[in-house]
Amino acid sequence: MTYAERIGALPLQEAPVILGIESSCDETAAAVIRGRELLSSVILSSASEQAKYGGVVPEIASRAHTDAIGEAVGRAVEEAGVAPEDLDAVAVTYGAGLLGALLVGLSYAKAYAFALGVPLIGVDHIRGHMAAAYLADKTLEPPFVTLLASGGHTAVIYTKSYTEFEILGSTRDDAAGEAFDKAARVLGLPYPGGPSIEKLAKEGRACIPFPKMFSGGGYDFSYSGLKTAVINYCHTKEQKGEPYSRADVAASFQSAACGALAERAVKAAKERGADTVVAGGGVIANGYLRSLLQAECGGAGLKLVLPEKKFCTDNAAMIAAEGLVQYRAGNFAGLTLNACAHIPLGKKGKQ
């Protein structure tokens, strides 16, 4: 019997035990869930090594994943209190991300699933960020509005069902996470930029009138102008020999960048008649943005679902959560599944 035939003969479990594996960038992560219950989550990061170069070096990341993948998976299974034979599926990020890094996790997941005779589930990394909310609120059900803000994507999404969504608006240039990294660089802050900006901003005031997002009736974002304004402000001050507060720059940038995210998410929920806003992606770990979302949603009478900060940045729990969605839909992958460096977020709906 072939692997595909073995998988086709397996009955679907009501609360499957799923191993999630994530290796798209500089975190080697593994997690185990049973239904929506998180049993374990292990993250081994090479971020400190990458910080020496001001960003992620693909070759270094790939080698780090190769060294860490076995340990991450072994610890996740052990800490979950299950045996490998108890697993009902293996979910793994197949894209988007660094190709070499993705191949490490994908190859390991294929071998693991084949050896156990359980389904392999290919997970879109961005869909994983969106699915993290299902672990944060076990009662959460679509429809709802999702705010996605990460290093590579920024979007407002109407989640119609577990497997269907409509993109209401997205970034026209830089993603929010990219803008944070670039603003941090001009301020001389270490990589990654998000935590560095947030920390410095606590010492300053949002008193510099950096440009807001362009106005209009839609939900699109544009961070290029804001990023350029920060760069020009700092460079002009330095060229003129004028002093300026780096903390004020950080606070002002953070205010402008995060304000648009919260405003558009709440606006979309109101216009779509949704009573819940969900947020996901690395930028959602920003404490200022989380407070802003809580205030905006509270003022509008909307329920807000925020994953814990550690499940906003790259992790395998979110991959397992999206794996559960695909498991219940019967969307299993073959052993020929390949890694994809880029996966389109989807087509934008009418505004």
Side-chain angles (χ1 to χ4, degrees):
M1 182 181 292
T2 66
Y3 171 72
E5 291 171 337
R6 290 162 64 191
I7 299 309
L10 292 174
L12 294 182
Q13 303 299 316
E14 179 63 28
V17 180
I18 298 177
L19 167 67
I21 296 175
E22 155 64 19
S23 68
S24 65
C25 193
D26 56 354
E27 278 83 24
T28 309
V32 177
I33 62 173
R34 179 184 287 113
R36 286 196 185 183
E37 178 187 4
L38 179 63
L39 303 182
S40 67
S41 178
V42 174
I43 302 174
L44 305 177
S45 178
S46 64
S48 59
E49 181 68 20
Q50 309 290 351
K52 299 177 184 177
Y53 307 97
V56 179
V57 180
E59 180 64 21
I60 293 176
S62 298
R63 292 182 180 183
H65 287 308
T66 302
D67 292 339
I69 187 72
E71 179 185 351
V73 171
R75 282 176 52 185
V77 172
E78 180 180 358
E79 292 176 13
V82 301
E85 294 74 19
D86 296 325
L87 297 174
D88 295 303
V90 177
V92 61
T93 306
Y94 77 95
L98 303 174
L99 199 56
L102 289 165
L103 285 169
V104 175
L106 181 57
S107 298
Y108 195 96
K110 285 182 180 180
Y112 213 84
F114 179 79
L116 294 175
V118 298
L120 174 71
I121 302 172
V123 173
D124 178 343
H125 180 83
I126 297 303
R127 294 294 293 266
H129 276 304
M130 295 165 61
Y134 291 127
L135 299 180
D137 183 350
K138 296 179 176 60
T139 66
L140 177 65
E141 294 183 0
F144 49 79
V145 165
T146 299
L147 172 64
L148 173 64
S150 69
H153 293 84
T154 305
V156 175
I157 299 166
Y158 181 57
T159 302
K160 299 178 180 179
S161 70
Y162 287 104
T163 57
E164 297 177 298
F165 65 92
E166 178 186 356
I167 299 174
L168 304 178
S170 59
T171 182
R172 296 188 178 184
D173 36 62
D174 290 349
E178 289 178 286
F180 268 90
D181 285 340
K182 291 172 181 177
R185 188 176 298 119
V186 76
L187 289 172
L189 299 175
Y191 172 88
S196 301
I197 289 281
E198 181 182 1
K199 182 179 179 180
L200 182 59
K202 292 177 181 178
E203 303 173 10
R205 298 179 301 113
C207 57
I208 302 171
F210 288 136
K212 299 287 186 179
M213 300 291 173
F214 52 82
S215 60
Y219 303 100
D220 279 351
F221 301 88
S222 173
Y223 281 98
S224 181
L226 174 59
K227 170 205 68 181
T228 301
V230 172
I231 294 173
N232 288 343
Y233 178 89
C234 294
H235 285 177
T236 298
K237 290 290 187 180
E238 291 165 1
Q239 289 169 358
K240 291 182 177 181
E242 298 176 354
Y244 67 94
S245 169
R246 292 165 63 250
D248 286 351
V249 172
S252 301
F253 165 80
Q254 181 176 254
S255 175
C258 295
L261 293 170
E263 290 168 8
R264 281 163 172 73
V266 169
K267 176 185 175 184
K270 289 180 177 179
E271 292 191 358
R272 286 299 172 119
D275 60 7
T276 302
V277 171
V278 164
V283 178
I284 305 301
N286 179 281
Y288 175 83
L289 175 57
R290 294 170 77 88
S291 297
L292 201 57
L293 282 168
Q294 289 167 345
E296 292 282 342
C297 288
L302 299 171
K303 177 181 178 180
L304 174 65
V305 179
L306 287 176
E308 291 182 51
K309 290 186 178 183
K310 63 183 178 181
F311 297 127
C312 292
T313 53
D314 291 354
N315 65 89
M318 69 182 196
I319 301 304
E322 177 61 16
L324 175 62
V325 171
Q326 300 304 324
Y327 177 91
R328 289 176 170 167
N331 293 330
F332 302 142
L335 296 177
T336 57
L337 176 66
N338 202 358
C340 294
H342 303 283
I343 299 177
L345 185 58
K347 295 181 179 180
K348 188 169 66 176
K350 295 181 179 179
Q351 296 187 27

